[in-house]
Amino acid sequence: TQLLEQSPQFLSIQEGENLTVYCNSSSVFSSLQWYRQEPGEGPVLLVTVVTGGEVKKLKRLTFQFGDARKDSSLHITAAQPGDTGLYLCAGYYGGATNKLIFGTGTLLAVQP
Amino acid sequence: DTAVSQTPKYLVTQMGNDKSIKCEQNLGHDTMYWYKQDSKKFLKIMFSYNNKELIINETVPNRFSPKSPDKAHLNLHINSLELGDSAVYFCASSPTRAYRSNYGYTFGSGTRLTVV
């Protein structure tokens, strides 16, 4: 059982459409992070959400942390081909060692 | 100036061989990690070192041995390579106790290992 489940797994949309990616867990996280990974590269941090109910905006990307701090969402408005990539949520888990655990990933393709 | 650099970028080798992947970071971070990304793009932590001390050792075959000569370097040596070891291996770094201040990790660009 994965600690962080993302949906959908794959998403192919046309340029200009809106989309939402979900990250769900049965565990409470002190914070959640979102990364984007492009082909041949490592994940790059987009944002960290810390407080339950928090909403952060990064240009056309809106990130929300659930009130109970068990889930998060990423909404992209008017998607562009440059948004194409693998989106990963991640949370610190594990007591003293607090390793960063990644979600199952959402592969987004935005067609021009 | 690359923050976290891994070498080599690609590694193709035969079953049974021994290989190493090197990682260096110039961010001044105290903690470094190895992650494995499988064919389904799932990223799983393998090891973590803090100031040359092993602090995370997940359920990884003991054919995998990390070595950290100093806090800026973390290498991964793999003995007796198997077909199932084929994956992309990522090195990452972060400040110590990144979870307390919600720092993210900085990743290298990965090493694609193919065992034939």
Side-chain angles (χ1 to χ4, degrees):
Chain A
T1 305
Q2 304 296 349
L3 284 175
L4 287 166
E5 295 277 354
Q6 289 183 235
S7 61
Q9 192 177 358
F10 301 100
L11 194 52
S12 180
I13 61 172
Q14 294 296 124
E15 183 175 0
E17 291 184 19
N18 302 332
L19 67 117
T20 302
V21 176
Y22 299 94
C23 173
N24 293 294
S25 173
S26 57
S27 302
V28 175
F29 287 87
S30 58
S31 65
L32 265 177
Q33 300 180 343
W34 284 91
Y35 290 76
R36 181 169 73 202
Q37 183 181 9
E38 298 187 14
E41 298 296 329
V44 175
L45 179 69
L46 295 174
V47 78
T48 302
V49 284
V50 179
T51 308
E54 181 177 3
V55 176
K56 277 193 175 177
K57 291 195 174 187
L58 190 66
K59 297 183 180 177
R60 293 174 294 100
L61 278 61
T62 302
F63 304 86
Q64 185 161 8
F65 201 11
D67 291 340
R69 293 186 287 126
K70 290 184 177 182
D71 57 270
S72 182
S73 64
L74 157 61
H75 182 80
I76 301 179
T77 304
Q80 298 178 0
D83 296 327
T84 294
L86 178 69
Y87 288 82
L88 297 158
C89 65
Y92 287 109
Y93 184 83
T97 55
N98 265 279
K99 51 201 170 201
L100 191 64
I101 302 296
F102 281 84
T104 49
T106 295
L107 192 57
L108 170 66
V110 182
Q111 313 295 336
Chain B
D1 228 14
T2 305
V4 179
S5 58
Q6 293 179 229
T7 54
K9 176 77 172 172
Y10 301 96
L11 189 50
V12 181
T13 187
Q14 291 188 322
M15 281 175 55
N17 283 350
D18 303 339
K19 290 293 178 187
S20 292
I21 306 172
K22 295 186 176 183
C23 179
E24 175 182 3
Q25 56 96 2
N26 62 6
L27 297 167
H29 290 164
D30 293 321
T31 310
M32 297 183 72
Y33 313 83
W34 279 111
Y35 278 80
K36 179 181 180 180
Q37 188 169 46
D38 61 23
S39 58
K40 294 184 178 179
K41 304 296 186 185
F42 182 62
L43 263 173
K44 183 172 167 53
I45 190 165
M46 301 172 68
F47 302 104
S48 175
Y49 269 76
N50 180 264
N51 274 320
K52 302 192 294 177
E53 179 187 352
L54 181 66
I55 57 171
I56 294 175
N57 186 350
E58 292 293 287
T59 309
V60 177
N62 56 16
R63 297 182 294 103
F64 290 78
S65 54
K67 282 187 174 54
S68 182
D70 56 62
K71 73 174 191 177
H73 295 84
L74 179 61
N75 304 322
L76 182 65
H77 188 76
I78 315 170
N79 288 328
S80 304
L81 278 155
E82 300 177 357
L83 292 177
D85 297 332
S86 296
V88 182
Y89 292 85
F90 286 97
C91 176
S93 72
S94 75
T96 301
R97 299 187 183 87
Y99 61 92
R100 288 191 179 175
S101 44
N102 300 307
Y103 275 111
Y105 290 6
T106 302
F107 284 82
S109 57
T111 295
R112 181 175 292 277
L113 172 65
T114 304
V115 182
V116 298

